[in-house]
Amino acid sequence: GSQLLLPFPWPTLTDAQNEGLVKQRALTKTFDFEVLSLDPDQLMYIIFDILSDFNHLQVFKINPDTLRNFIGTVRNAYCSNPYHNWHHACDVTQTVYAFLTYGDGAKYLEPIEVFSLLLGAICHDLEHPGVNNAFLVTTGADLSLLYNDRSVLENHHCAQAFRIFKDPHINVLA
């Protein structure tokens, strides 16, 4: 089975990192945001901003430290493969956020639906190994056996999200 990775300390940004972050923060609610212009530490700040928008911290009584722990744990649960990595998760999350804000999508949803969409976006490819379901099934990979050859990666990503939510220091749903 997979092992839950504990978060590392919240990163402190250098002056240069802060300068780059300021420019992209202004674009977070648009489709002009450039995820690849930011490093993984800067992206943690962007994701914190996104997940705490819509007054989510107040509405759902989420401790900011719990949200930081959640973000650090999710970041650690992404593998460093060429595509399904932390940058990809942040790109998908920011795009969903742009649809909710710039595209006004949030006005049609309840707060729990908005928060759920954002959590689903950031967790959607947790521990993605960089290969597809057909490869896992054909090679008889352990993940394929665990999920009985059915929607192997989708089941795994979802299971990993629920593993994260089990820890009260990380669970933003508690």
Side-chain angles (χ1 to χ4, degrees), residues 155-173:
N155 280 302
H156 184 64
H157 305 320
C158 185
Q160 293 316 302
F162 280 105
R163 287 181 90 182
I164 289 170
F165 293 134
K166 282 178 63 173
D167 185 322
H169 298 99
I170 299 168
N171 187 358
V172 294
L173 302 176

Side-chain angles (χ1 to χ4, degrees), residues 60-168:
F60 301 114
K61 297 175 176 54
I62 300 169
N63 181 316
D65 289 334
T66 302
L67 182 57
R68 286 183 192 93
N69 289 340
F70 172 79
I71 293 167
T73 301
V74 167
R75 174 185 170 179
N76 281 346
Y78 273 91
C79 302
S80 51
N81 59 55
Y83 183 72
H84 293 99
N85 54 40
W86 175 240
H87 270 86
H88 169 67
C90 295
D91 187 32
V92 169
T93 304
Q94 184 278 324
T95 300
V96 168
Y97 183 64
F99 278 112
L100 291 168
T101 54
Y102 183 78
D104 283 336
K107 73 180 180 184
Y108 301 103
L109 302 171
E110 296 296 323
I112 190 67
E113 294 170 321
V114 171
F115 194 54
S116 298
L117 273 171
L118 294 169
L119 291 179
I122 198 64
C123 292
H124 85 279
D125 273 335
L126 288 173
E127 290 190 2
H128 198 295
V131 296
N132 64 21
N133 286 331
F135 179 86
L136 294 170
V137 171
T138 301
T139 60
D142 286 343
L143 272 183
S144 179
L145 298 173
L146 179 66
Y147 296 111
N148 210 19
D149 294 344
R150 295 177 192 233
S151 303
V152 177
L153 291 170
E154 294 74 14
N155 280 302
H156 184 64
H157 305 320
C158 185
Q160 293 316 302
F162 280 105
R163 287 181 90 182
I164 289 170
F165 293 134
K166 282 178 63 173
D167 185 322

